[in-house]
Each structure stands twice: as C-alpha cells, then as structure tokens.
Amino acid sequence: MSGGAGIRLLWRTREAVGLYPGGKGLVLAHLCAAEEHGGAWMVTESRTSETLCPAPSDAAALASAVCAALQSAGWARLPLALALPLTEAETAEQVLPIRLSGRELREALLWSLRAETDEAGTPLSDEMRLCCMELPDTAPPCYWTARMEERRIRGYFSAFAAAGLDLRRLTVCPPTNDVLAAQIEGVCAPRMPWETTEEDMLAPAVYAGLLVRTGMPEHLYWSAPPRLIGALRPQLSVLIAVLAAALFLVQVTADLAACVTARTACTHAEEELALRQSERLRMEEFFALHSAVMEREQLLAEFTAASLPARALLVHLGAVTLEGV
C-alpha cells in the first residue's frame, strides 16, 4: 500500500499530561488529540493535588508526588511534561542582531551570555543549558532565557524514570506573553463548575503538555535522553529497507544453497544408478549362464538315466576270460 492516507503512526503521541508544581499544589492538565475535535489537542481534564507540593528543587520528592497524583488520576502511563517555576532557574533577556530558532538560537544565546559573563569576570559553566523564547514586538529581536546546569536537568529525568514515569519534556514556566498563549487559549475548553483550577496555575501545565506534540520548537524545552527507538526513528525507513534487503539476501542464499545441495544429491544418485545398472546387467548375465548350465546338467542326467550301462558291460566283459578269446 502506497501513500499515507488512512495510516496512523503508532509512535505518534496523541495524549500527554502537563505538570506544574505551583504554590497551592501540583497542577495536572490532561491533553488529548480527540477525534471528535478533528484531531486537535484539547484539555480534557485538569486536577490540583490537595496536599502541598514538594519543593521543585527536590527532584526525587517531586517525582514521588507526581507518581501518586498520576496513579490517582489513572494517567501514570502517559507521556509527561514538567514546567518549573521561574524561581528554579536563572532568567535573563538577551538581544541578538538576527532572528534564529532551534539549536542555532541556543548556541548564539550561549555565546552572547558567555561573552557577557567573561567580561564581568564570572565565567559561565560549560554545563549550562538554555531554554528560551522570543519576546513579542521587539526589534532587534530580544529573547527571554532560562538557564540551568545539565547535571540538574538530568537529575529530573533520572528521578522520574526511577519512579517509573515517562518524562518527555522539561521547561521553565515562561513569562505571561509567551509564544504559545494563543494555543493555550485554544486548547482550554470552557471550565466546568467543579473544576476549581485557577487559570494562572493551569496555563503553565497546559504549556508544558503542549510541548509533547510533534514539531514544537526545540528551544522551548529540554528533552529526555533519547531512547533506542526514538534515536532510530529518523533512520527507521532506511533500517527497514536494509533489513528487508538483508532478509531477501538470506532467503536467496538459502535457496541457492538448497539448490546446490539438491543438484549434488542428484548427481550422486545418477552415479549410484549407473553403478547399479552395470551390476544389474552382470547379474542378469550370470543368472542366464547359470540357467544354461543347470539345463545342460539336467539333460545329461536324463540321458544317462535312459542309456545302457556300456561302461559297466565293458568292464564285465573285460573281467571274463573265455577259452580261445
């Protein structure tokens, strides 16, 4: 079957949970690309934990609290995205002469930040990592940045993995005027009377959940370490082609080997048949000769039984002495 119509990729994420450890509790926003909404992402449910949330800086305690809340909601197996409060990272605004995105933007901002810190006599750590976004209506372009050491970033992913949770994205809650403001407003369905989650607490959780979608700008978040399938996914078509070619070659090789074996067996059988044929002809000649001999012996025996005893008579006559003979 050719083309992509009617085919749903099994690894495409269609459901996620956004997390935000707010001051009044842990906020969870369940997002789903529902068919009734034409596949568009919508917030289907939001919850706020009744107990106080652990300090966001304690990754292990936060992961444990998140695990309990997810199990209570039945979302423990869904992909997760965590938005940390602004207080958990060092934030700043950087100006660049041109607009960039993705990895280039991060590298340019890091170079700019390193130049400033070196000039101030406070060199920046080599393990410092950035997530950033462009501030609206700025010329030249101005970017909001949040920086955190890689060791601490890995600590969050490790803590969630140890708790059996699938943390896909980690980010820092951006300012109110973020690039996903319109999308957040679009995916938030009208709140039900019993849903008491405040909008200022729900927005960061929804923001984090939206980052799990495919095609989101990578400079907005830090990703989990690539898993084997995720790392091979861009080369999956090439791997499938190579695997198919390898299987085809193995099958052809096996068929050729079987053909050679069968031909060898056939040649050996023909040689055996030729040898047996000559032996059979010799055996037929021997049986024919044996039959002739037996027939002659039978004839001689019959003749001897029917003839006179000439020899015995001659012997008898030779033993009789008569006068005058």
Side-chain angles (χ1 to χ4, degrees):
M1 179 177 180
S2 61
I7 299 177
R8 175 177 295 180
L9 300 180
L10 298 178
W11 57 77
R12 184 176 180 181
T13 304
R14 305 182 64 83
E15 203 171 1
V17 176
L19 308 169
Y20 176 66
K24 298 181 181 180
L26 177 66
V27 182
L28 298 86
H30 178 245
L31 291 87
C32 179
E35 297 295 341
E36 56 266 24
H37 297 291
W41 283 67
M42 299 293 294
V43 177
T44 59
E45 187 179 353
S46 62
R47 296 190 177 192
T48 303
S49 62
E50 298 179 357
T51 59
L52 290 178
C53 183
S57 57
D58 190 347
L62 179 61
S64 179
V66 169
C67 183
L70 290 172
Q71 289 178 351
S72 176
W75 303 335
R77 295 185 177 276
L78 296 180
L80 308 176
L82 173 63
L84 297 174
L86 285 170
T87 55
E88 298 303 314
E90 298 180 54
T91 60
E93 294 183 4
Q94 297 289 126
V95 177
L96 293 179
I98 59 174
R99 283 183 169 81
L100 298 173
S101 61
R103 185 174 300 178
E104 292 182 349
L105 174 59
R106 281 179 168 170
E107 292 177 354
L109 289 173
L110 272 174
W111 276 106
S112 176
L113 185 60
R114 289 185 192 281
E116 291 183 3
T117 54
D118 290 345
E119 185 177 353
T122 57
L124 195 66
S125 171
D126 292 337
E127 291 192 354
M128 196 63 68
R129 299 294 179 263
L130 295 180
C131 69
C132 51
M133 55 162 287
E134 183 179 355
L135 296 176
D137 303 326
T138 57
C142 183
Y143 296 88
W144 171 85
T145 64
R147 60 181 184 268
M148 188 181 297
E149 290 189 356
E150 184 177 3
R151 172 182 54 82
R152 189 178 172 194
I153 295 173
R154 289 198 305 264
Y156 282 101
F157 288 109
S158 300
F160 275 72
L165 303 176
D166 183 16
L167 181 61
R168 300 277 185 89
R169 302 286 188 262
L170 176 66
T171 187
V172 177
C173 181
T176 305
N177 300 330
D178 61 86
V179 292
L180 299 184
Q183 299 184 43
I184 293 174
E185 184 179 355
V187 301
C188 288
R191 315 310 300 163
M192 297 300 160
W194 58 84
E195 294 182 306
T196 58
T197 304
E198 299 180 5
E199 293 298 331
D200 58 346
M201 294 180 59
L202 180 62
V206 177
Y207 172 80
L210 289 175
L211 295 179
V212 179
R213 298 182 303 174
T214 304
M216 297 302 293
E218 63 177 20
H219 57 265
L220 297 177
Y221 57 84
W222 297 293
S223 299
R227 296 174 293 180
L228 180 59
I229 295 178
L232 294 180
R233 189 175 299 166
Q235 293 82 24
L236 195 57
S237 59
V238 178
L239 291 176
I240 292 175
V242 171
L243 181 60
L247 291 176
F248 175 75
L249 291 176
V250 169
Q251 185 65 35
V252 170
T253 303
D255 291 343
L256 290 176
C259 181
V260 172
T261 302
R263 178 167 295 183
T264 303
C266 181
T267 303
H268 181 70
E270 290 177 353
E271 294 176 355
E272 290 287 336
L273 185 61
L275 181 61
R276 297 293 185 272
Q277 181 72 12
S278 62
E279 292 179 352
R280 188 176 64 83
L281 293 176
R282 291 177 58 187
M283 187 173 292
E284 290 177 355
E285 293 176 358
F286 172 76
F287 277 116
L289 181 60
H290 181 267
S291 299
V293 171
M294 294 297 295
E295 185 179 356
R296 291 179 181 181
E297 288 182 353
Q298 185 178 1
L299 292 175
L300 181 60
E302 292 176 354
F303 175 77
T304 302
S307 61
L308 295 176
R311 182 178 180 183
L313 178 60
L314 292 177
V315 171
H316 174 68
L317 292 178
V320 176
T321 304
L322 297 176
E323 186 178 354
V325 177

